[in-house]
Each structure stands twice: as structure tokens, then as C-alpha cells.
């Protein structure tokens, strides 16, 4: 009797355990396969670090054509260069990060590429929010950053950083990041500024007006003198006849 009742119980426990394992596998599988990032030197303030990204293809009808990434605070677009990517893919800087892409990959092929970062910031973790664009225009958004251990539906690739190496310091920003690199527009000697040009024009007009007025007054004076001379000559002639 005891053996007969024990077997069904064991069978039930085994099936329940398998079901739990399957459930855990299903729930954990997709979360770990969307988009990931790893680093050749995952330490704060590490220099010339290679970051490798993997974005899983999820479309059954088109391949990945472009990945747009928003860089975390402390990494500027000009501090990133493309190291490896699918054939004919190129990296283009954007105001908040970069886009890497080209001809769409084959359907079902994961997008893998790597970049070199001049220096990692002094942070504990870095989130690289990513937009995956497929050849048919579909966009997958992996932009959610989990907080307090909570799970999210569309997690962004997150890189956990270790403490900085002893003596590590932030390197100087590139020339393009310094204020002196921004060209200032200075008026050239050959091309005066608008206010100066306007003042010069007004002065020229005033001079021209003054010269014109002087010429007119001169003509009037000449006419008056001639008229006076003519009147004087006529009166003198009239008297001589009388």
C-alpha cells in the first residue's frame, strides 16, 4: 500500500519540478537575449576600452539595418570610434550618441559590433539605450533602465563598472570639447560689421548731401550776382540815354 501511494507522489513532484524549471527558463531566456554589452576593461576611468554589443534579431520577416545608441553621461560622441561591425556598416555621430548600420542583415542574424571609447566615466554602471531598426522599418526599443532590482520589459544594455585603478584620473577633453575650439566670428578688416557699414554709409551720404547743398548755393549766388550786375548795367545805360 505504502509503495503504491509513494509512486504517484514522486511522479507528481517530478512533473512539478520540471514545470517550474521550464517556467523559469521561459521567463529568464528572453530577458538575457535582447541587447547586451561587455567591456575589455570594465573599470571606471579605464582608457581606450573596447565595448562589444550584441543585439538579438527578433523579426521573422526582416534583418537589423541600424542600431542607434544614446550614450550615457560622461561619454561624448566624439570619444567613440568604430572598431568592428558587419560588412559595409558605418558609424555616424548623433547629438546624443551614435548610429551604426548599413545594409540590412539576413533575417534571424544577430547584430554584433564593437567600439573604442577614449575613457569610461567614473560611474558604477552605464546604460546604453538602444533602438534597433529593421529593414522593414520596424523598431525595437531597448531603452528601459531597471532600478532597485526591478525587472523591465525592454531593458537597455547595462555595463557594470568596477572601481577605478589606483591613480586613475580623468583625461583632458578633446579639442572639440573645449570652448576655444569653437570658432568665433570676427569681422575682417575688408568687411566691416553692419553697424560700422551703416555709420560709414550715413557719413558718406551726409558728405554728399553737404557737397550738393554747397553746389546749389554757389549756383544761386552766381545767378544773384549776374542779376545784380545786369540790373546795374541797365540802370546806368538808361541814365546815360536820358
Amino acid at each position: 500500500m505504502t509503495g503504491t501511494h509513494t509512486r504517484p507522489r514522486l511522479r507528481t513532484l517530478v512533473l512539478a519540478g520540471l514545470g517550474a524549471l521550464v517556467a523559469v527558463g521561459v521567463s529568464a531566456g528572453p530577458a538575457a537575449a535582447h541587447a547586451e554589452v561587455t567591456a575589455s576593461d570594465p573599470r571606471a576611468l579605464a582608457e581606450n576600452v573596447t565595448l562589444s554589443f550584441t543585439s538579438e534579431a527578433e523579426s521573422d520577416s526582416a534583418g537589423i539595418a541600424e542600431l542607434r545608441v544614446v550614450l550615457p553621461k560622461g561619454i561624448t560622441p566624439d570619444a567613440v570610434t568604430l572598431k568592428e561591425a558587419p560588412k559595409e556598416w558605418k558609424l555616424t555621430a548623433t547629438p546624443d550618441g551614435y548610429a551604426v548600420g548599413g545594409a540590412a542583415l539576413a533575417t534571424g542574424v544577430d547584430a554584433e559590433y564593437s567600439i573604442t571609447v577614449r575613457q569610461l566615466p567614473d560611474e558604477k554602471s552605464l546604460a546604453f539605450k538602444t533602438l534597433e531598426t529593421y529593414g522593414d522599418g520596424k523598431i525595437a526599443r531597448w531603452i528601459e533602465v531597471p532600478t532597485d532590482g526591478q525587472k523591465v520589459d525592454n531593458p537597455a544594455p547595462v555595463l557594470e563598472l568596477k572601481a577605478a585603478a589606483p591613480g586613475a584620473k580623468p583625461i583632458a577633453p578633446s579639442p572639440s570639447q573645449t570652448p576655444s575650439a569653437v570658432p568665433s566670428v570676427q569681422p575682417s578688416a575688408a568687411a566691416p560689421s553692419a553697424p560700422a557699414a551703416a555709420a560709414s554709409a550715413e557719413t558718406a551720404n551726409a558728405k554728399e548731401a553737404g557737397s550738393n547743398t554747397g553746389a546749389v548755393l554757389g549756383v544761386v549766388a552766381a545767378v544773384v550776382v549776374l542779376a545784380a550786375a545786369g540790373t546795374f548795367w541797365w540802370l546806368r545805360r538808361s541814365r546815360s540815354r536820358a
Side-chain angles (χ1 to χ4, degrees):
M1 278 300 280
T2 303
T4 304
H5 289 291
T6 302
R7 290 179 180 176
R9 289 182 179 178
L10 289 174
R11 184 179 301 172
T12 302
L13 291 174
V14 170
L15 292 176
L18 291 175
L21 290 175
V22 171
V24 171
V26 170
S27 61
H34 296 315
E36 298 178 349
V37 58
T38 58
S40 60
D41 188 359
R43 294 182 297 175
L45 299 180
E47 299 180 25
N48 299 320
V49 180
T50 298
L51 300 182
S52 300
F53 294 84
T54 300
S55 292
E56 183 184 70
E58 297 184 333
S59 174
D60 295 330
S61 58
I64 299 175
E66 182 186 68
L67 300 171
R68 178 162 181 167
V69 176
V70 177
L71 289 169
K73 180 182 178 180
I75 302 179
T76 56
D78 65 337
V80 174
T81 56
L82 184 63
K83 186 174 183 179
E84 294 183 5
K87 187 177 180 180
E88 297 182 356
W89 276 31
K90 296 181 180 180
L91 183 144
T92 304
T94 61
D96 56 1
Y98 63 86
V100 56
L105 303 177
T107 303
V109 175
D110 298 342
E112 299 180 354
Y113 73 96
S114 60
I115 60 174
T116 300
V117 178
R118 186 182 302 123
Q119 184 180 43
L120 298 180
D122 190 7
E123 301 288 346
K124 294 183 178 179
S125 64
L126 303 174
F128 297 84
K129 298 180 180 181
T130 302
L131 300 181
E132 299 175 1
T133 301
Y134 289 81
D136 59 0
K138 177 184 176 183
I139 299 178
R141 304 173 185 273
W142 306 113
I143 58 176
E144 296 181 293
V145 181
T147 56
D148 301 328
Q150 297 180 354
K151 293 183 178 180
V152 293
D153 296 331
N154 302 293
V158 176
L159 178 65
E160 301 294 337
L161 297 182
K162 299 178 182 179
K169 297 180 180 180
I171 60 178
S174 64
S176 61
Q177 294 176 260
T178 59
S180 60
V182 180
S184 58
V185 180
Q186 298 290 344
S188 63
S193 60
S200 300
E202 291 178 1
T203 302
N205 292 337
K207 290 181 178 179
E208 184 178 357
S211 61
N212 291 338
T213 302
V216 171
L217 291 177
V219 171
V220 172
V223 171
V224 170
V225 170
L226 291 175
T231 302
F232 177 77
W233 176 82
W234 182 80
L235 291 174
R236 186 175 180 180
R237 183 177 181 184
S238 298
R239 288 177 181 178
S240 61
R241 288 181 179 179

